[in-house]
Amino acid sequence: MITTTDLTKVYRSRGREVTALDGVSLHVEPGEMYGVIGRSGAGKSTLIRCVNLLERPDSGTVTVDGQDLTALPGPRHRAGRSLRRARTGIGMIFQHFNLLSSRTVRGNVELPLEILGLTRRERARKALELLDLVGLADHAAAYPAQLSGGQKQRVGIARALAGDPKVLLSDEATSALDPETTRSVLGLLRDLNKQLGLTVLLITHEMDVVKAVCDSAALMEHGRIVEAGVVNELLATPGSRLARELFPVAGPVAGDGRTVVDVTFHGENAGQPVISHLARAHDVDVSILGAAMDTVGGRQVGRMRIELPGHPESNAEALAYLRERGLTVEPAAREAPAPRETPADGGTDEDPGPRPTDALAPEGTR
């Protein structure tokens, strides 16, 4: 549904160049919830803005629903109508809601419908249907100042659905919300994904968002994707950085005469007493140094750092025992220092980004 190929984007200002995207290739399947995660400055916001061409990449292609958007003329071009029409199939949710304070909730949802040329009656009917879908039908006459953060974001989601999109883009949509509200909004996005068959591409710096709703994920650093794949498969992949960051486990790894490994439990073995069986079957003392467990995609997944006495060579049979039972076993990795963050996004997390009407605005109004 969404494919980017070798996207590059360089921002130039006062003789200085910042490479926001450096050859980014990404593929999102139809109906998938895909998360792009990375630190501030990794290039996430630039990537998502290039998907609907609110930012035009310097090179590379963006294909959405089989159509190469980068081949279409810009909105200021005489033939730019085709790009605007393609954008109506792409909804976007913003971090800071971007609601118009002078309009009611219903009026905010009706705004893109006005641009699309619907009559007043059609706009009212459609807006109320969308507000009902996000659980805010009884707040249609309220103003944004009267809403909570979670309610404002639900209005933003309803507005993003106004054009009956096949693709929904989420630009840090939950980063300004408290944990409980975040869970509620993520649950709504997951429900809409299943109910409407939406393909959802979301960017975030929160690992909990990926764990809660994403089918697949990609890790971005310094304008590049350094790892990508199906979340459950990544969790079973030795050496996966995303797996380590989704389920970080603490515990000392240095020292001679002992074996320290990280063990990932997934599938049916997540609830089995494998470690106690290991201790009895191989008559070995097992120390648990750290553990993390959660639910990903409706399945329980966990990681555990354990210590066995003796060198790895002397524990080969014990480690093979764990692998034979479907667990992923790898040497515990020392924590690397956090990389220094750089403004590769061409802005900061506080940048509200493009106006919500940019993707639908008539020619010559931007």
Side-chain angles (χ1 to χ4, degrees):
M1 181 60 77
I2 303 173
T3 300
T4 70
T5 305
D6 294 330
L7 284 189
T8 62
K9 178 67 179 179
V10 179
Y11 291 101
R12 298 173 176 85
S13 176
R14 299 176 183 175
R16 179 170 174 260
E17 291 188 353
V18 175
T19 301
L21 299 179
D22 187 6
V24 173
S25 296
L26 189 74
H27 183 70
V28 183
E29 295 287 346
E32 194 172 34
M33 292 275 288
Y34 199 109
V36 177
I37 191 161
R39 297 173 184 269
S40 176
K44 309 182 303 297
S45 290
T46 300
L47 172 61
I48 204 167
R49 293 172 191 174
C50 283
V51 169
N52 61 4
L53 261 63
L54 291 180
E55 294 277 0
R56 186 171 283 271
D58 295 323
S59 64
T61 61
V62 177
T63 303
V64 178
D65 196 21
Q67 185 173 27
D68 182 358
L69 300 188
T70 45
L72 300 176
R76 298 183 187 279
H77 192 277
R78 191 182 310 172
R81 188 177 303 170
S82 56
L83 176 58
R84 293 196 299 273
R85 185 163 52 247
R87 281 174 173 164
T88 62
I90 306 173
M92 190 160 183
I93 313 166
F94 298 89
Q95 177 182 1
H96 296 290
F97 321 129
N98 288 358
L99 301 181
L100 299 178
S101 59
S102 60
R103 283 184 172 238
T104 64
V105 165
R106 195 185 84 180
N108 271 278
V109 178
E110 286 186 9
L111 178 58
L113 299 174
E114 291 179 22
I115 296 172
L116 289 173
L118 273 67
T119 67
R120 180 177 299 180
R121 179 175 296 181
E122 290 172 332
R123 295 197 304 266
R125 178 185 56 79
K126 181 74 171 180
L128 290 174
E129 287 177 358
L130 291 170
L131 289 172
D132 185 55
L133 188 63
V134 300
L136 285 180
D138 56 344
H139 288 72
Y143 285 86
Q146 299 171 299
L147 304 180
S148 67
Q151 289 171 330
K152 290 177 183 177
Q153 195 55 281
R154 285 173 179 261
V155 177
I157 293 171
R159 181 185 58 199
L161 297 175
D164 295 321
K166 295 181 179 180
V167 170
L168 194 60
L169 307 179
S170 171
D171 186 1
E172 298 274 13
T174 60
S175 63
L177 306 176
D178 62 79
E180 183 176 352
T181 305
T182 291
R183 286 191 293 271
S184 173
V185 170
L186 291 176
L188 173 61
L189 289 176
R190 192 47 152 168
D191 290 343
L192 293 172
N193 161 253
K194 294 178 179 178
Q195 184 177 344
L196 304 179
L198 285 172
T199 301
V200 182
L201 175 63
L202 56 88
I203 65 168
T204 182
H205 61 270
E206 301 170 286
M207 284 291 173
D208 285 344
V209 171
V210 175
K211 286 194 287 187
V213 296
C214 290
D215 303 306
S216 298
L219 177 64
M220 282 195 76
E221 285 184 357
H222 306 297
R224 295 186 176 187
I225 290 181
V226 296
E227 186 177 15
V230 177
V231 172
N232 283 328
E233 293 177 0
L234 290 170
L235 293 172
T237 302
S240 168
R241 288 185 54 190
L242 265 171
R244 288 201 304 268
E245 297 200 32
L246 283 169
F247 290 91
V249 287
V253 297
D256 297 326
R258 60 195 184 120
T259 301
V260 181
V261 295
D262 289 339
V263 181
T264 303
F265 300 77
H266 39 80
E268 295 180 358
N269 60 41
Q272 301 300 316
V274 179
I275 299 301
S276 61
H277 288 172
L278 168 68
R280 289 197 300 269
H282 290 268
D283 191 25
V284 61
D285 293 326
V286 182
S287 299
I288 298 175
L289 305 180
M293 185 163 284
D294 210 330
T295 301
V296 177
R299 300 170 60 190
Q300 196 173 38
V301 178
R303 283 170 60 85
M304 182 179 293
R305 179 164 293 179
I306 64 173
E307 175 188 325
L308 307 177
H311 293 284
E313 295 79 7
S314 64
N315 288 301
E317 290 187 8
L319 299 180
Y321 176 89
L322 295 175
R323 293 189 177 99
E324 288 168 1
R325 276 143 188 82
L327 279 67
T328 303
V329 182
E330 55 187 320
R334 289 178 172 84
E335 295 298 324
R340 186 172 64 88
E341 296 183 7
T342 57
D345 274 358
T348 69
D349 281 346
E350 296 305 314
D351 178 11
R355 299 185 303 276
T357 56
D358 275 358
L360 296 173
E363 183 175 356
T365 62
R366 291 208 262 163

